[in-house]
C-alpha cells in the first residue's frame, strides 16, 4: 500500500498506464453504482409527483382503483382494494415509522452526551433502519467514541441506551405493523424487504402490497372448493 501510494505521488502517469485495466474496471463499477443510485432517486421523485397528483383528487382516484379491482377480481375486488390501502399504511407505520422513532431516540442519546454531527448520524440510523439493518452498526463506533471522551458511567448509560434503541424494533414492529390488516406480519415484512432490494424505497410499498395480495389470493384459491365436486362425493371421500 505504501509503495503504491509513493509511486502515485511521484509518477502518477506511469501508475495509470500500469494499472489501466484495474482503473477502467473500477471506474465502470463506480459509474454503474452511481447510475443505479440516480435511477432510484429519480424513481422516488417521480413517484412522489404522481402521488401528489393523486392526492389532489383522492375521491376520484380511489373510486377508479376500486372499480378496476372489482373488474379484475370480481367479488374479491373490494376486499383487495381495501387491503392494498391498509398494507401501504402498515408499511409506513411498521417500517418507516419504526425507523423514524429509532432515529429520534438515537439522536436524543447522542445529543445528551454531546456527539458531534448528531444530525448526520441520525440520518445514517434512519437509512439503516429502513433497509432493515440494525442501527447498532452506526451506534457501535459512536459508543467507542463516547467511552474515549466521557466518564465510564456516562458511556455505560449511553451504551445501554444505544442497545435498547437498536433492539426496539423487536417490539415496535409487532405493535405498528399489520394493524388493521388480515395478513401475517411476516408476509408484509418479507414483501417490504424484497421490494426494497429490487426497487429501492418505492419497492417497500410495492413489494408489501404484492406479497399481501398474493397471500390473500393463495388463501382464497385454497378455500375455494371446486364446483364440479358434488356434496355426496365430498362426504364419500371423507368417510373413506
Amino acid at each position: 500500500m505504501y509503495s503504491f501510494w509513493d509511486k502515485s505521488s511521484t509518477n502518477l502517469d506511469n501508475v495509470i498506464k500500469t494499472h489501466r485495466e484495474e482503473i477502467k474496471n473500477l471506474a465502470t463499477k463506480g459509474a454503474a453504482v452511481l447510475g443505479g443510485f440516480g435511477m432510484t432517486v429519480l424513481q422516488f421523485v417521480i413517484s412522489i409527483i404522481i402521488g401528489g397528483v393523486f392526492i389532489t383528487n383522492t375521491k376520484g382516484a380511489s373510486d377508479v382503483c376500486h372499480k378496476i379491482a372489482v373488474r379484475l377480481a370480481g367479488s374479491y375486488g373490494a376486499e383487495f382494494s381495501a387491503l392494498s390501502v391498509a398494507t401501504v399504511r402498515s408499511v409506513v407505520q411498521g417500517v418507516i415509522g419504526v425507523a423514524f422513532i429509532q432515529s429520534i431516540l438515537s439522536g436524543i442519546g447522542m445529543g445528551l452526551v454531546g456527539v458531534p454531527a448528531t444530525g448526520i448520524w441520525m440520518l445514517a440510523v434512519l437509512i439503516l433502519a429502513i433497509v432493515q439493518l440494525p442501527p447498532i452498526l452506526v451506534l457501535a463506533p459512536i459508543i467507542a467514541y463516547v467511552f474515549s471522551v466521557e466518564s465510564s458511567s456516562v458511556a455505560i448509560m449511553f451504551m445501554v441506551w444505544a442497545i435498547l434503541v437498536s433492539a426496539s424494533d423487536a417490539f415496535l414492529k409487532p405493535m405498528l405493523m399489520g394493524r388493521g390488516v388480515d395478513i401475517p406480519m411476516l408476509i408484509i415484512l418479507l414483501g417490504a424487504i424484497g421490494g426494497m432490494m429490487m426497487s429501492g424505497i418505492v419497492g417497500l410499498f410495492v413489494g408489501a402490497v404484492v406479497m399481501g395480495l398474493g397471500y390473500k389470493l393463495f388463501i382464497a384459491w385454497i378455500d375455494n372448493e371446486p364446483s364440479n365436486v358434488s356434496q355426496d362425493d365430498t362426504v364419500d371421500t371423507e368417510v373413506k
Side-chain angles (χ1 to χ4, degrees):
M1 181 68 71
Y2 172 79
S3 176
F4 176 78
W5 190 258
D6 182 60
K7 290 179 182 178
S8 300
S9 63
T10 56
N11 193 355
L12 183 60
D13 292 338
N14 185 37
V15 172
I16 293 176
K17 291 178 181 179
T18 304
H19 302 280
R20 182 179 302 171
E21 290 299 325
E22 292 84 347
I23 295 174
K24 182 179 178 181
N25 293 333
L26 182 62
T28 302
K29 292 180 180 179
V33 170
L34 290 176
F37 179 75
M39 287 301 298
T40 300
V41 173
L42 179 63
Q43 185 182 27
F44 184 63
V45 172
I46 293 175
S47 67
I48 291 178
I49 295 174
I50 295 174
V53 173
F54 285 155
I55 288 175
T56 59
N57 187 18
T58 55
K59 185 65 169 61
S62 177
D63 292 341
V64 170
C65 291
H66 178 78
K67 290 178 181 178
I68 292 175
V70 172
R71 186 68 175 174
L72 291 174
S75 59
Y76 293 101
E79 179 185 358
F80 290 163
S81 177
L83 181 64
S84 300
V85 176
T87 302
V88 171
R89 289 175 179 168
S90 177
V91 172
V92 171
Q93 295 173 355
V95 176
I96 298 181
V98 171
F100 185 76
I101 292 173
Q102 289 181 313
S103 176
I104 295 296
L105 293 177
S106 63
I108 292 174
M110 288 185 286
L112 290 177
V113 297
V115 176
T118 298
I120 297 177
W121 296 119
M122 289 176 62
L123 180 61
V125 170
L126 178 66
I127 294 174
L128 276 183
I130 289 178
V131 301
Q132 303 303 300
L133 292 175
I136 197 65
L137 296 178
V138 171
L139 297 176
I142 299 176
I143 293 173
Y145 167 79
V146 174
F147 267 100
S148 66
V149 298
E150 296 288 346
S151 62
S152 298
S153 58
V154 173
I156 290 173
M157 286 190 292
F158 177 75
M159 181 181 67
V160 173
W161 177 258
I163 293 174
L164 290 176
V165 169
S166 182
S168 61
D169 61 343
F171 59 88
L172 286 176
K173 276 194 176 69
M175 291 172 56
L176 299 177
M177 183 174 283
R179 295 179 61 183
V181 181
D182 187 22
I183 298 175
M185 185 193 71
L186 182 60
I187 299 294
I188 299 177
L189 184 60
L190 288 176
I193 295 175
M196 177 76 180
M197 295 173 63
M198 293 294 295
S199 305
I201 297 295
V202 179
L204 275 173
F205 308 98
V206 177
V209 171
V210 170
M211 282 288 288
L213 295 180
Y215 172 80
K216 294 296 289 186
L217 284 171
F218 180 71
I219 296 300
W221 176 69
I222 291 177
D223 293 340
N224 187 21
E225 186 176 338
S227 58
N228 59 348
V229 178
S230 64
Q231 184 69 22
D232 295 337
D233 293 339
T234 303
V235 173
D236 292 341
T237 302
E238 291 177 353
V239 171
K240 291 180 182 179

